[in-house]
Amino acid sequence: MLAFLARRMAMAIGTVLAAVVISFLLVHATDTSPGAVRLGTNATPERIVAENEALGWNRPLPTQFFDYLGDLVRGDLGTSLIDGRSIAADLADRVPVTASIALFATLLSGVLGVVLGVTAAVRGGRLARLITTGSGVALSLPVFWVGILLVYVLALQLGWLPATGYVPFTVDPVGWFTSLLIPVLALTIGGAAIVARTANAGLRQALAQEHVRTLRAMGTPEWRIRYVHALRFASLPVVSVLGIQFIALFGGSVIIENLFALPGLGQAGQAAAASSDFPALVGVVVVATVVVVLINLLLDLFVAALDPKVRAS
């Protein structure tokens, strides 16, 4: 297990370093300079050159990179070219928003999807066909369309939840919960459909295994065969799907955050790209990569704990 952990840690560090290098080089490959971004379109070429000199933009590229890497190790992501605010402080406020949405949507998708998938596999018949058809319909619905529909029904027609906006947990826990509920539900519908199909297929495959027939022949109760032995076998693909879902939701949160006016990481990345705020954009990429790599590492360790064959890979 220690060797497996060492290999995964080395891969994680290499992934983060590669993301830093690629984003840093892409920023320096653009035609726009930070001096031009900070001073605006009305600045003279002389002022832009002087500002770039003050920002260290004209120094050798390796020097800039290793200075940035040293600051990054200390947790310093630099300051925004637009408002001069600390990027680390800004992202520290935004990461919990995106993480909360992704985590709650993943957990709710997992619970609902497993219940539906296991029910379809165990009960079979018309109910299984209904769940399979319903999951197919749910998978075909675009997230933004589902979000707009939920806003229309739950916020505008019924008035149960706010349509847009975000309330910090420290200000109002109830308001925080209600402000996240519609976005989470919009993401859960498609996510639960994927988990339901995965759990259904996994449990059916598990129940067809040779050792399950052996357990039945030995007189093991059917509930124990289904919900202990077979479900554990089926849990491996479900856990993998949930981990991938969380990573996808965390890394691809732009649409849902813009739709519901949520101050998350995706919205920050879009704003930084639109305004050519290079330090902020690189900061978003680095933070998102670190979070995704950590989640992937935890997922690998969890799957390895469930399946010894994974540790040998």
Side-chain angles (χ1 to χ4, degrees):
M1 190 66 178
L2 290 178
F4 175 82
L5 178 60
R7 291 196 301 270
R8 290 298 186 268
M9 285 290 295
M11 291 175 58
I13 295 173
T15 302
V16 173
L17 186 59
V20 173
V21 172
I22 292 172
S23 58
F24 186 86
L25 293 177
L26 287 176
V27 163
H28 281 77
T30 61
D31 296 331
T32 307
S33 67
V37 174
R38 173 166 288 182
L39 296 177
T41 56
N42 297 325
T44 63
E46 292 76 12
R47 290 188 60 198
I48 293 175
V49 170
E51 186 68 22
N52 285 333
E53 194 69 35
L55 293 172
W57 185 254
N58 298 324
R59 291 181 302 160
L61 198 59
T63 302
Q64 293 187 54
F65 174 74
F66 285 111
D67 286 348
Y68 179 79
L69 197 61
D71 292 338
L72 191 62
V73 171
R74 294 190 294 270
D76 183 7
L77 296 175
T79 57
S80 169
L81 296 175
I82 305 302
D83 56 17
R85 184 181 177 187
S86 168
I87 296 170
D90 182 46
L91 297 185
D93 294 333
R94 292 177 178 273
V95 168
V97 180
T98 302
S100 298
I101 298 170
L103 180 61
F104 289 157
T106 301
L107 291 176
L108 192 56
S109 297
V111 173
L112 185 59
V114 167
V115 170
L116 292 175
V118 170
T119 301
V122 171
R123 297 289 296 275
R126 183 177 300 177
L127 181 59
R129 291 193 294 271
L130 180 62
I131 293 174
T132 302
T133 303
S135 64
V137 173
L139 283 172
S140 66
L141 299 176
V143 172
F144 71 88
W145 187 88
V146 175
I148 292 172
L149 182 62
L150 290 175
V151 167
Y152 177 76
V153 175
L154 298 179
L156 301 181
Q157 293 298 313
L158 300 177
W160 291 350
L161 298 169
T164 59
Y166 175 76
V167 179
F169 180 84
T170 53
V171 174
D172 180 9
V174 176
W176 169 78
F177 178 76
T178 56
S179 67
L180 294 180
L181 199 51
I182 291 182
V184 167
L185 290 175
L187 294 170
T188 296
I189 292 175
I194 297 174
V195 175
R197 291 196 162 197
T198 304
N200 183 17
L203 191 57
R204 286 178 180 274
Q205 182 181 358
L207 291 174
Q209 296 293 314
E210 182 68 30
H211 73 276
V212 170
R213 289 193 288 270
T214 303
L215 289 172
R216 286 197 177 102
M218 294 172 58
T220 305
E222 189 64 26
W223 69 267
R224 186 172 181 84
I225 293 175
R226 291 174 176 174
Y227 303 115
V228 177
H229 299 283
L231 193 57
R232 179 178 180 181
F233 178 87
S235 66
L236 289 173
V238 171
V239 169
S240 298
V241 165
L242 288 174
I244 294 171
Q245 278 193 5
F246 179 86
I247 291 171
L249 292 176
F250 190 91
S253 58
V254 176
I255 294 177
I256 206 73
E257 289 178 5
N258 283 326
L259 181 62
F260 294 101
L262 300 171
L265 200 63
Q267 194 181 70
Q270 185 186 44
S275 60
S276 298
D277 192 350
F278 306 135
L281 184 59
V282 175
V284 170
V285 172
V286 170
V287 170
T289 302
V290 168
V291 173
V292 167
V293 165
L294 287 176
I295 295 301
N296 205 27
L297 179 61
L298 292 175
L299 177 64
D300 286 343
L301 294 177
F302 187 72
V303 171
L306 292 176
D307 187 0
K309 291 183 292 185
V310 175
R311 296 196 292 268
S313 62

